[in-house]
Amino acid sequence: MSVASAESNPTGSASSTTGAASRHEQSALAGERVLVLDFGSQLAQLIARRVREQHVYCEIVRHDLSAERIAEIAPKGIILSGGPSSVYAADAPRCDPKLFEMGIPVLGICYGMQLACEALGGRVHAHDVREYGRAHCEVVDSADLFRGVHTQTEVWMSHGDQVTQIAADFTPLAKTATCPFAAVRHNRLPVYGLQFHPEVTHTVEGKTILGNFLREVCGTTGQWRLGDFADETIAAVRQRVGGSRVICGLSGGVDSSVVAALLAKAIGPQLSCILVDNGLLRKDEEAAVVREFTEHFQTDLHVVKAEQRFLERLAGVVDPQEKRRRIGAEFIECFKEEAAKVEDARFLAQGTLYPDVIESGGSGDGPAASIKLHHNVGGLPKELGFELIEPLRDLFKDEVRRLGLQLGLPEEIVWRHPFPGPGLAVRCLGEVTADKLHTLREADAIVVGEIKAAGLYRQTSQAFAVLLPVQSVGVMGDGRTYENALAVRCVNTDDFMTADWSHLPHDLLSRISTRIINEVAGVNRVVYDISSKPPATIEWE
């Protein structure tokens, strides 16, 4: 499986050393950079993605990063994120107040605006009327931030506190019916504030507003391109690896596939890929990986046939966490055994993405570490003895997909839906057996195949089948049956932190159900999961 992809890794991250190059030393990233100071916002990553969409490199750092460190990084601009706190609370997170005097343009969003206004002489209080959702906004000053924005525009609000008084040095730029300071500008310092969220799609002209801050205020020219990133990363990998060999774990997921494709271009025959077939993969997944990385990229591919080993480790296990733990432990053993057969291997490549770095506290300047469980279990042990290469650690998922297409990966792999590290084991509720996996694998292929045939695969974020530990009475032909129930799960999401169930056409659901019951032995009932996240999770285990 992918050795460290959050989408497909049963083991979690290996013990980390350094990536392909130091974050602040990659010349492709160093020309124009914007920092997002994170005050606990659920939208901090979305802000960074929106900035990058405008071809400006952006990274998330902790809210209390010192002015001295910021000066060393030398960003073109700073964005203060929103957050759940109240700025007037004693324990409210604050930034270094000296950053407002550095001459670097600052944009405060929601909590960030309140923090900037208070730090520069304004007042913030809880308001009698809270604003959550869409709001009608009137632009009163169209210079700079609102250049090209309609005078009457729709924005997205999410606040209970608001700025009730601004210092004399501030000028109001926009207002709503209940928020007189929906946007402000400092007259002397390059400090701006937005009470609404320009990063969400519900703010109709948010892209224009952010673009104005980046170009008009920060003076960026939009030089960052994925193609340049790929060239720089390939050069950095070549320099670091030299004549040594690199091992990369493959799963068929997009993260590990893009890592392997990037390394194949960088070091060619020095790359060895390992695919552990644990018997928990989707239908025909092994064949697709073997075909792509032997015929197209022509890598040294090692396939470990380990289905029986994993099934023996899972025998009698019904607890989801214990499933994960055992799968992770067995994966490590399989991987170690096969890696030992690769001579002169010094490096281990993994598909760590930027959200993984942020959420795990893996960046020195990033937000504090947090415990990220998801579908990861444990980690590759230090005794493996490899140095780590993480060529995608600066990229978001959507950027990884675009990079994969640039590298020549087929769309089937690039746009494949995420797959949990423990594989079908956590979609086979209860004990995992070979017969149950066969039933689930066949039903899952029908679900995905019908959604693709309907032209809805790219419009959905994740679709799969779940075999339930429930039998129900049915009638097939002239006889009664007592067989398995199966759930179909399909969701739409931008970030996988929240998700809504997909409103698939009824005729499509009907075809899926009919085919599964007619073609997959042992299933006589199909149900559709209409739960959103939260309160439910996307996966059932």
Side-chain angles (χ1 to χ4, degrees):
M1 291 260 188
S2 169
V3 175
S5 164
E7 66 165 35
S8 55
N9 174 27
T11 66
S13 298
S15 68
S16 180
T17 52
T18 59
S22 174
R23 293 179 64 77
H24 298 301
E25 293 174 358
Q26 295 184 37
S27 59
L29 308 182
E32 294 184 338
R33 176 185 286 111
V34 168
L35 301 181
V36 174
L37 272 60
D38 184 8
F39 291 89
S41 172
Q42 294 182 352
L43 299 174
Q45 292 185 29
L46 184 57
I47 296 171
R49 285 173 54 201
R50 293 291 184 251
V51 173
R52 291 190 187 190
E53 287 172 1
Q54 310 225 18
H55 302 296
V56 177
Y57 183 71
C58 182
E59 62 184 273
I60 300 170
V61 299
R62 63 180 186 270
H63 68 273
D64 58 352
L65 198 65
S66 69
E68 291 74 19
R69 177 58 183 146
I70 291 174
E72 291 176 2
I73 298 172
K76 298 285 286 185
I78 297 170
I79 297 176
L80 310 180
S81 82
S85 302
S86 295
V87 298
Y88 47 78
D91 59 349
R94 300 184 181 279
C95 60
D96 188 334
K98 291 185 288 187
L99 72 82
F100 296 113
E101 303 287 344
M102 296 176 68
I104 300 173
V106 175
L107 174 64
I109 297 176
C110 198
Y111 178 88
M113 169 184 166
Q114 297 166 13
L115 183 67
C117 287
E118 186 197 53
L120 296 172
R123 293 183 180 179
V124 178
H125 294 97
H127 198 263
D128 294 337
V129 180
R130 299 183 176 186
E131 283 187 302
Y132 293 101
R134 291 180 174 85
H136 179 75
C137 183
E138 179 183 352
V139 176
V140 297
D141 187 332
S142 296
D144 300 325
L145 216 54
F146 289 92
R147 189 183 307 276
V149 176
H150 292 87
T151 304
Q152 308 291 330
T153 189
E154 191 173 79
V155 300
W156 184 264
M157 291 283 195
S158 181
H159 67 99
D161 298 338
Q162 67 181 44
V163 177
T164 56
Q165 181 179 328
I166 56 175
D169 284 332
F170 276 94
T171 296
L173 302 179
K175 62 182 179 180
T176 71
T178 60
C179 183
F181 306 118
V184 297
R185 178 189 67 231
H186 197 279
N187 298 326
R188 179 176 57 87
L189 304 172
V191 177
Y192 295 76
L194 299 174
Q195 183 57 68
F196 57 86
H197 290 270
E199 69 275 20
V200 302
T201 55
H202 304 299
T203 295
V204 177
E205 297 179 273
K207 181 178 180 179
T208 300
I209 296 168
L210 273 178
N212 285 338
F213 175 71
L214 297 172
R215 292 184 296 272
E216 304 288 337
V217 180
C218 300
T220 63
T221 56
Q223 299 174 351
W224 190 67
R225 295 291 189 279
L226 273 178
D228 296 335
F229 170 86
D231 292 341
E232 291 271 336
T233 302
I234 287 170
V237 167
R238 286 173 178 163
Q239 181 178 10
R240 183 170 177 222
V241 168
S244 301
R245 295 193 68 79
V246 178
I247 294 176
C248 177
L250 279 176
S251 69
V254 60
D255 300 345
S256 65
S257 297
V258 172
V259 168
L262 191 66
L263 292 175
K265 287 191 177 292
I267 57 175
Q270 294 169 242
L271 173 66
S272 292
C273 295
I274 296 176
L275 170 65
V276 177
D277 181 2
N278 55 13
L280 306 172
L281 302 178
R282 289 168 284 198
K283 186 176 182 179
D284 299 329
E285 195 153 41
E286 178 197 329
V289 173
V290 171
R291 181 172 59 252
E292 188 60 30
F293 286 93
T294 54
E295 298 178 6
H296 187 169
F297 289 101
Q298 299 180 339
T299 60
D300 174 35
L301 178 61
H302 299 236
V303 179
V304 182
K305 296 287 190 178
E307 178 179 6
Q308 193 57 40
R309 289 177 59 170
F310 279 83
L311 285 176
E312 289 174 359
R313 288 291 291 266
L314 292 170
V317 178
V318 297
D319 179 73
Q321 287 297 87
E322 183 62 17
K323 286 183 185 178
R324 291 187 177 89
R325 192 193 67 77
R326 294 194 182 200
I327 291 169
E330 192 62 36
F331 175 86
I332 289 171
E333 292 304 313
C334 290
F335 195 87
K336 283 174 62 178
E337 292 169 12
E338 195 63 29
K341 301 175 185 178
V342 181
E343 296 182 1
D344 302 321
R346 178 183 167 192
F347 298 93
L348 177 67
Q350 69 176 28
T352 308
L353 304 190
Y354 190 44
D356 302 324
V357 175
I358 297 167
E359 293 165 15
S360 66
S363 170
D365 294 325
S370 60
I371 298 174
K372 183 183 179 185
L373 293 176
H374 295 284
H375 307 297
N376 298 329
V377 181
L380 285 174
K382 294 181 180 179
E383 60 265 24
L384 277 179
F386 296 114
E387 295 181 41
L388 201 58
I389 291 180
E390 299 172 300
L392 307 181
R393 63 178 283 124
D394 291 301
L395 301 184
F396 287 104
K397 189 76 164 190
D398 57 321
E399 295 168 330
V400 170
R401 293 190 193 277
R402 297 204 306 273
L403 179 59
L405 293 174
Q406 290 183 17
L407 292 170
L409 282 171
E411 289 196 2
E412 178 185 357
I413 288 180
V414 170
W415 293 106
R416 180 169 289 176
H417 286 177
F419 190 55
L424 295 179
V426 292
R427 294 178 179 173
C428 181
L429 277 57
E431 183 181 8
V432 178
T433 67
D435 288 343
K436 288 182 179 179
L437 288 171
H438 176 75
T439 298
L440 177 58
R441 191 175 286 116
E442 294 299 316
D444 186 77
I446 290 173
V447 171
V448 174
E450 285 294 337
I451 290 175
K452 286 182 176 179
L456 296 175
Y457 189 73
R458 288 276 298 274
Q459 297 177 36
T460 55
S461 304
Q462 201 165 0
F464 54 91
V466 180
L467 186 62
L468 306 179
V470 175
Q471 284 74 47
S472 67
V473 174
V475 178
M476 300 183 76
D478 294 325
R480 290 170 64 84
T481 61
Y482 188 63
E483 295 179 326
N484 295 304
L486 184 134
V488 174
R489 180 73 158 144
C490 187
V491 299
N492 293 347
T493 178
D494 290 326
D495 53 18
F496 290 91
M497 296 176 66
T498 62
D500 191 17
W501 59 278
S502 303
H503 294 242
L504 298 179
H506 289 183
D507 60 340
L508 172 58
L509 292 173
S510 177
R511 286 197 303 274
I512 290 172
S513 176
T514 300
R515 283 196 59 197
I516 289 174
I517 292 174
N518 287 343
E519 299 175 27
V520 181
V523 177
N524 68 356
R525 188 177 301 272
V526 175
V527 299
Y528 188 52
D529 184 347
I530 58 171
S531 308
S532 295
K533 176 186 179 182
T537 55
I538 295 176
E539 297 288 344
W540 278 50
E541 285 191 345

